[in-house]
């Protein structure tokens, strides 16, 4: 999502928006999942940020809220919102649109459905005239009510009869902690006057709140049974072995999608190859191809190419814990101490001392750089393997340059990994939200300095690179957040209620604490974890629940939102994935009142009633759904079939005329015959898969079918 505001208003009065800072949040229904940085004092801020996330649950609306911050206000002020219903997202998909901001009214925030039954009875006198009317209203149920701050609400319903002389209102009973309340209550009203609209029947014209420009892309993958993807998946997995690599299916995909979506189409390829342990040979081959076309050693891996994008995606996937261990402590210190580091005379504020600011900046840079250069033992083995391969390729390509083996690696580890994470820590889950403008400026200065140091031949930098090339050891990662934890009932007395706790996991142990930094209240060794699974909402009438199954009673935890729930499950499943005693089945609900709520078994030790989720045995904090990744690859191929045909025609032309034709310059074709063979095979596989989609769609597209 990229966003821009225009003419935010109202701009008069004590809270003029031109005097305030603004930011934008993204919500699924009313559950906030992301927010932008704070933009300083402008009625037309340009946020220019992209957010990509999986949606792990059903939703009704994708909403964008604009808020204003002020040093004189305790709470952020809502300016306006844009709400797009799920069924309308396709209208705006992939295009930039201006949306008029609507007022944020608590009554307009209600979402969901209500099931009603209405009757109007006439009471007739003996002479046949109507004495009065009686309205019966039966409120049966509601469905899909929104979450409030990520939690189920306590809903009730009111029925109001409004007339010119009096109003009559009646209310149902309150239902606790549910999004789908069942009421089944009937109310009746005697009506001796005509029904009128609520209010005076006129609507006041709302203030012009400005507009929000958005580019939203929403895709739903219709994933078929795994067997249908076998041919395409095998073709992609064969890519590292194809000679030359430019004739492989994976490289062809990157080539034909470059104009439409850049190298975005390569992400599912990287994930698929990573899952099947085929990524390293593919990265080695595409890097070798790029080096063939690199003429100067000082420009090695500096551009945005197929090779650099694939390696960037790999580092983002497997390097999450590496960044957490290396940068999170020092970034937390920067955020908490909040020292001014501005050294640009034009941007200095009144009272700033440039020498003091320079000392602050130097201190931060030294801490960040030291943390990076001492982090070799935390680097994931796959990253080390790729860096060793890059060093060998660079030394072979430029044998006369002794420094190129270091610059080939530092261009990735410093410029494309650490410097980017310092600049935008929220995008790497190192911070929950954007920094404020002053800290953001500090991070920009630190990031630029790290880039400069990474470009020079500093001794400490080269020492780190040498260590990365020889030490394939993964140091323990750390992942921690505030959650709600249910008491485990380890004591005979005491309530089994939910309390706020600080949950922390490393490669060695899972622990929870009363507060961050306090002593642990309970420690569960990672080796004792037998499974990590989602928990049904019905267990405790709470959403975003998951359970950690270990040698004692299960640990029930509620995360802050649905995205955090998935992150916890991914991290905990990853660190415990090799435990020999992991379960094959689990109970998706809780043992309450002497029986399991899911299967009604009375014995607490009864084996689970549902198969456990499979965990990928890879050195990453992410489970990969290979069928879905292959479906995404199919989608990219399908939307670029015309480009694929042009590439096929170019190969045929080169084979006939034995030379590079003008229409071939848009593609990388080293061996036209081998590339032509791959494209023909791809065409057959894509046609077969499209036929399967068409046949499945014919069975399910009829109205009323699920």
């Amino acid at each position: 999502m990229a966003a821009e505001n225009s003419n935010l208003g109202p701009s008069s009065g004590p809270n003029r928006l031109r005097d305030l800072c603004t930011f934008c949040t993204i919500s699924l229904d009313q559950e906030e999942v992301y927010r932008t940085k704070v933009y300083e004092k402008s009625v037309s801020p340009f946020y220019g940020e992209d957010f990509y996330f999986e949606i792990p649950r059903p939703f009704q609306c994708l909403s964008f809220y604009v808020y204003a911050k002020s040093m004189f206000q305790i709470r952020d002020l809502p300016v306006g919102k844009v709400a797009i219903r799920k069924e309308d997202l396709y209208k705006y998909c992939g295009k930039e649109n201006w949306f008029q901001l609507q007022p944020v009214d608590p009554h307009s925030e209600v979402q969901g459905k209500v099931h009603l039954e209405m009757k109007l009875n006439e009471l007739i006198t003996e002479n046949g005239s109507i004495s009065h009317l009686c309205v019966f209203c039966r409120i049966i149920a509601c469905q899909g009510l929104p979450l409030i701050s990520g939690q189920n609400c306590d809903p009730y319903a009111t029925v109001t009869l409004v007339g010119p002389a009096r109003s009559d209102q009646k209310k149902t009973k309150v239902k606790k902690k549910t999004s789908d309340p069942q009421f089944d209550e009937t109310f009746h009203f005697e009506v001796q006057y005509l029904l009128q609209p609520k209010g005076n029947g006129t609507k006041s014209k709302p203030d012009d709140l400005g507009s929000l420009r958005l580019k939203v892309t929403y895709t739903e993958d219709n994933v078929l049974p795994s067997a249908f993807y076998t041919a395409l998946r095998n073709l992609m997995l064969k890519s590292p072995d194809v000679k030359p690599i430019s004739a492989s299916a994976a490289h062809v995909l990157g080539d034909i999608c470059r104009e439409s979506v850049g190298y975005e189409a390569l992400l599912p390829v990287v994930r698929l190859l990573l899952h099947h342990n085929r990524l390293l040979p593919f990265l080695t081959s595409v890097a070798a191809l790029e080096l063939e076309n690199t003429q100067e050693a000082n420009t090695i891996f500096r551009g945005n190419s197929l090779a650099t994008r694939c390696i960037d995606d790999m580092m983002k996937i497997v390097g999450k814990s590496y960044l957490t261990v290396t940068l999170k402590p020092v970034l937390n210190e920067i955020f908490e101490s909040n020292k001014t580091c501005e050294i640009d005379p034009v941007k200095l504020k009144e009272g700033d001392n440039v020498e003091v600011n320079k000392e602050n900046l130097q201190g931060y840079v030294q801490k960040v750089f030291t943390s990076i250069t001492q982090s070799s033992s935390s680097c994931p083995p796959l990253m080390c393997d790729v860096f060793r391969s890059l060093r060998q390729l660079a030394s072979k390509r430029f044998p006369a340059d002794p420094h190129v083996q270091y610059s080939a690696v530092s261009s990735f580890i410093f410029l494309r990994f650490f410097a980017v994470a310092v600049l935008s820590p929220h995008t790497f889950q190192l911070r929950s939200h954007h920094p404020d403008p002053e800290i953001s400026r500090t991070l920009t200065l630190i990031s630029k300095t790290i880039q400069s140091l990474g470009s020079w031949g500093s001794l400490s930098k080269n020492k780190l690179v040498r260590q990365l090339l020889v030490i394939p050891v993964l140091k323990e990662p750390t992942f921690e957040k505030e959650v709600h934890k249910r008491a485990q009932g380890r004591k005979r007395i005491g309530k089994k209620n939910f309390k706020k706790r600080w949950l922390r996991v490393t490669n060695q142990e899972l622990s929870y604490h009363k507060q961050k930094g306090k002593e642990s209240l309970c420690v569960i060794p990672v080796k004792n974890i037998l499974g990590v699974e989602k928990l049904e909402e019905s267990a405790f009438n709470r959403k975003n629940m998951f359970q950690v199954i270990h040698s004692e009673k299960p640990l029930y935890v509620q995360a802050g939102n649905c995205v955090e729930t998935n992150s916890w499950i991914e991290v905990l499943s990853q660190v415990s994935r090799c435990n020999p005693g992991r379960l094959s089945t689990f109970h998706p609900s809780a043992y309450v009142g002497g029986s399991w709520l899911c299967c009604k078994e009375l014995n607490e030790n009864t084996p689970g009633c549902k198969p456990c989720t499979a965990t990928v045995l890879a050195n990453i904090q992410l489970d990969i759904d290979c069928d879905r990744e292959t479906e995404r690859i199919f989608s990219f191929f399908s939307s670029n079939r015309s480009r694929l045909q042009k590439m096929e025609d170019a190969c045929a032309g080169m084979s006939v005329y034995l030379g590079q034709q003008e229409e071939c310059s848009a593609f990388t074709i080293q061996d036209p015959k081998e590339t032509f063979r791959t494209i023909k095979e791809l065409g057959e596989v894509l046609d077969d898969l499209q036929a399967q989609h068409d046949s499945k769609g014919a069975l399910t597209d009829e109205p009323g079918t699920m």
Side-chain angles (χ1 to χ4, degrees):
M1 180 209 82
E4 175 187 2
N5 278 119
S6 177
N7 299 323
L8 294 179
S11 57
S12 60
N15 292 321
R16 296 191 307 271
L17 286 178
R18 63 169 59 97
D19 298 328
L20 301 175
C21 304
T22 62
F23 65 92
C24 184
T25 67
I26 307 173
S27 297
L28 290 173
D29 297 328
Q30 288 178 295
E31 182 182 12
E32 180 185 324
V33 291
Y34 286 105
R35 66 171 57 189
T36 68
K37 64 185 176 184
V38 177
Y39 203 97
E40 287 194 271
K41 297 182 180 178
S42 171
V43 295
S44 298
F46 178 76
Y47 302 110
E49 296 188 50
D50 296 324
F51 298 95
Y52 170 84
F53 57 97
E54 301 284 334
I55 300 177
R57 63 169 177 81
F59 72 101
Q60 298 174 24
C61 270
L62 179 66
S63 302
F64 305 85
Y65 293 81
V66 179
Y67 289 92
K69 292 182 75 74
S70 171
M71 59 184 300
F72 304 109
Q73 298 284 343
I74 298 177
R75 299 180 62 184
D76 300 325
L77 303 173
V79 177
K81 71 169 185 177
V82 171
I84 308 175
R85 296 191 65 81
K86 178 183 176 181
E87 56 266 27
D88 294 331
L89 282 172
Y90 76 95
K91 300 176 183 177
Y92 313 105
C93 190
K95 299 177 290 186
E96 290 189 357
N97 295 274
W98 282 101
F99 295 88
Q100 190 70 29
L101 288 175
Q102 301 300 319
V104 179
D105 176 8
H107 296 294
S108 71
E109 297 297 286
V110 175
Q111 297 168 2
K113 301 177 181 179
V114 60
H115 189 186
L116 297 173
E117 181 183 5
M118 302 282 291
K119 291 182 181 179
L120 180 64
N121 291 340
E122 299 176 343
L123 297 184
I124 302 176
T125 62
E126 293 180 356
N127 61 9
S129 63
I130 299 175
S131 63
H132 62 276
L133 304 175
C134 190
V135 176
F136 290 86
C137 179
R138 179 185 172 210
I139 302 180
I140 302 169
C142 290
Q143 190 179 72
L145 298 182
L147 302 177
I148 306 298
S149 301
Q151 310 294 327
N152 277 323
C153 54
D154 295 338
Y156 62 90
T158 62
V159 183
T160 306
L161 193 68
V162 180
R166 64 182 182 87
S167 295
D168 195 2
Q169 184 180 79
K170 298 185 180 182
K171 172 182 169 183
T172 68
K173 295 178 181 177
V174 176
K175 303 296 180 179
K176 293 291 186 180
K177 304 297 180 187
T178 178
S179 296
D180 304 305
Q182 300 290 322
F183 296 110
D184 200 14
E185 295 187 40
T186 302
F187 304 103
H188 68 275
F189 303 86
E190 289 189 3
V191 183
Q192 296 180 332
Y193 47 83
L194 295 177
L195 299 178
Q196 300 288 331
K198 191 171 183 178
N200 57 11
T202 61
K203 294 184 177 179
S204 59
K205 186 177 180 180
D207 291 326
D208 184 3
L209 301 176
S211 53
L212 182 67
R213 185 173 65 157
L214 299 169
K215 183 178 180 181
V216 179
T217 301
Y218 173 71
T219 58
E220 287 187 357
D221 297 326
N222 297 314
V223 182
L224 300 174
S226 184
F228 293 125
Y229 296 108
T230 301
L232 181 57
R233 182 167 56 243
N234 290 342
L235 199 55
M236 303 306 295
L237 295 178
K238 190 174 68 174
S239 293
D241 302 324
V242 176
K243 305 297 181 187
I245 191 65
S246 60
S248 68
H251 198 285
V252 168
L253 177 63
D255 235 5
I256 66 171
C257 294
R258 186 171 58 226
E259 288 186 358
S260 58
V261 294
Y263 291 114
E264 179 186 337
L266 294 170
L267 179 58
V269 175
V270 169
R271 291 163 66 91
L272 183 67
L273 294 175
L274 177 62
H275 177 82
H276 290 278
N277 201 27
R278 300 286 288 150
L279 185 57
L280 178 59
F282 178 74
L283 295 180
T284 300
S285 296
V286 294
L289 176 60
E290 177 162 334
L291 284 173
E292 289 179 18
N293 301 315
T294 303
Q295 305 303 320
E296 301 289 338
N298 60 359
T299 62
I300 191 169
F301 299 126
R302 293 299 175 91
N304 184 27
S305 64
L306 186 147
T308 57
R309 177 59 187 264
C310 287
I311 297 175
D312 286 348
D313 287 340
M314 178 274 298
M315 292 192 299
K316 289 179 181 178
I317 295 171
V318 306
K320 286 183 179 180
S321 61
Y322 184 24
L323 288 175
T324 300
V325 170
T326 306
L327 292 182
K328 190 171 177 61
V330 65
L331 287 174
N332 287 344
E333 180 183 343
I334 292 171
F335 274 73
E336 291 164 7
S337 58
N338 196 15
K339 296 178 182 177
T340 303
C341 297
E342 185 57 71
I343 55 176
D344 185 346
V346 178
K347 297 184 178 181
L348 288 174
K349 297 180 180 178
E350 186 177 351
D352 281 352
N353 186 319
V354 69
E355 294 301 320
V356 173
N357 292 358
K358 189 181 296 183
E359 288 182 9
N360 293 338
L361 179 60
Q362 289 174 340
Y364 283 153
V365 169
Q366 184 62 43
K367 288 183 178 181
V368 172
F369 196 65
T370 299
S371 182
I372 292 173
T373 55
Q374 294 178 354
S375 68
S376 60
S377 62
S378 299
C379 187
L382 179 59
M383 288 178 64
C384 293
D385 292 342
V386 172
F387 295 153
R388 280 196 292 274
S389 179
L390 295 178
R391 179 193 65 171
Q392 294 168 359
L393 292 171
S395 298
K396 183 179 179 180
R397 177 68 178 85
F398 300 102
D401 189 335
H403 301 294
V404 72
Q405 61 177 318
Y406 302 118
S407 60
V409 176
S410 64
S411 64
F412 284 103
I413 196 69
F414 281 96
L415 275 64
R416 293 176 172 272
F417 189 59
F418 283 120
V420 177
V422 169
L423 184 63
S424 304
H426 57 285
T427 61
F428 293 86
Q429 289 80 52
L430 298 174
R431 298 289 298 185
S432 57
H433 293 306
H434 274 281
D436 61 42
E438 188 167 324
I439 294 179
S440 181
R441 173 62 177 165
T442 297
L443 296 179
T444 300
L445 295 172
I446 296 172
S447 179
K448 288 182 177 180
T449 309
I450 295 300
Q451 291 184 44
S452 300
L453 293 172
S455 301
W456 296 347
S458 65
L459 292 176
S460 56
K461 178 198 74 176
N462 287 342
K463 177 183 176 183
L464 169 66
V465 173
R466 284 196 296 270
Q467 290 172 336
L468 292 177
L469 298 178
V470 298
I471 303 180
V473 178
L474 177 63
K475 196 175 180 180
E476 63 178 35
T478 302
F479 187 83
E480 50 187 350
K481 284 183 180 291
E482 187 178 69
V483 299
H484 284 83
K485 183 201 72 71
R486 185 176 186 263
Q488 291 181 272
R490 288 176 291 146
K491 299 179 181 178
R492 288 184 174 274
I493 57 175
K495 290 184 177 180
K496 294 182 180 180
N497 53 356
F498 283 82
K499 294 183 178 179
K500 282 187 178 180
R501 291 291 182 257
W502 189 261
L503 195 62
R504 183 175 185 269
V505 63
T506 70
N507 267 345
Q508 303 300 321
E509 62 185 33
L510 171 67
S511 58
Y512 57 82
H513 313 249
K514 194 166 187 178
Q515 292 176 340
K516 182 180 179 181
K518 299 292 185 181
E519 291 186 5
S520 59
L521 299 175
C522 178
V523 175
I524 301 172
V526 164
K527 64 181 181 181
N528 292 348
I529 294 178
L530 306 177
V532 185
E533 299 287 348
K534 287 186 177 179
L535 192 71
E536 291 179 351
E537 177 188 343
S538 58
F540 301 110
N541 285 325
R542 286 174 177 252
K543 290 185 180 288
N544 306 322
M545 292 283 297
F546 66 93
Q547 55 180 317
V548 181
I549 309 165
H550 59 110
S551 51
E552 298 182 18
K553 290 182 178 293
L555 177 66
Y556 297 125
V557 180
Q558 182 181 33
N561 56 54
C562 56
V563 176
E564 285 186 11
T565 304
N566 277 12
S567 297
W568 273 113
I569 293 174
E570 288 167 2
V571 171
L572 288 167
S573 297
Q574 173 64 22
V575 296
S576 64
R577 68 188 184 279
C578 295
N579 288 355
R582 284 185 66 95
L583 299 175
S584 58
T585 60
F586 76 104
H587 290 285
S589 195
Y591 187 81
V592 177
S595 68
W596 288 101
L597 298 179
C598 44
C599 58
K600 311 304 179 186
E601 287 288 339
L602 302 180
N603 188 347
E604 189 172 4
N605 298 319
T606 298
C609 54
K610 184 177 180 181
C612 286
T613 307
T615 303
V616 177
L617 296 182
N619 189 19
I620 55 173
Q621 293 186 1
L622 185 69
D623 285 345
I624 295 174
D625 184 339
C626 290
D627 293 338
R628 183 172 184 192
E629 301 304 335
T630 310
E631 172 62 30
R632 296 295 302 133
I633 292 170
F634 167 72
S635 298
F636 282 119
F637 271 124
S638 297
S639 58
N640 288 274
R641 283 300 290 267
S642 60
R643 292 276 297 168
L644 188 64
Q645 183 61 52
K646 287 182 180 179
M647 192 173 187
E648 181 182 336
D649 295 341
C651 291
M654 290 177 68
S655 299
V656 172
Y657 296 106
L658 301 177
Q660 184 80 15
Q661 307 298 311
E662 182 177 349
E663 63 269 18
C664 305
S665 59
F667 308 106
T668 304
I669 304 175
Q670 294 174 288
D671 186 332
K673 290 185 178 180
E674 187 66 29
T675 307
F676 183 85
R677 186 180 298 113
T678 298
I679 294 175
K680 293 297 287 185
E681 191 174 357
L682 273 170
E684 294 173 2
V685 169
L686 296 175
D687 288 342
D688 289 344
L689 197 48
Q690 184 60 56
Q692 294 296 338
H693 271 287
D694 292 342
S695 65
K696 295 292 180 182
L699 294 175
T700 58
D701 284 350
E702 290 298 321
T705 59
M706 184 172 292

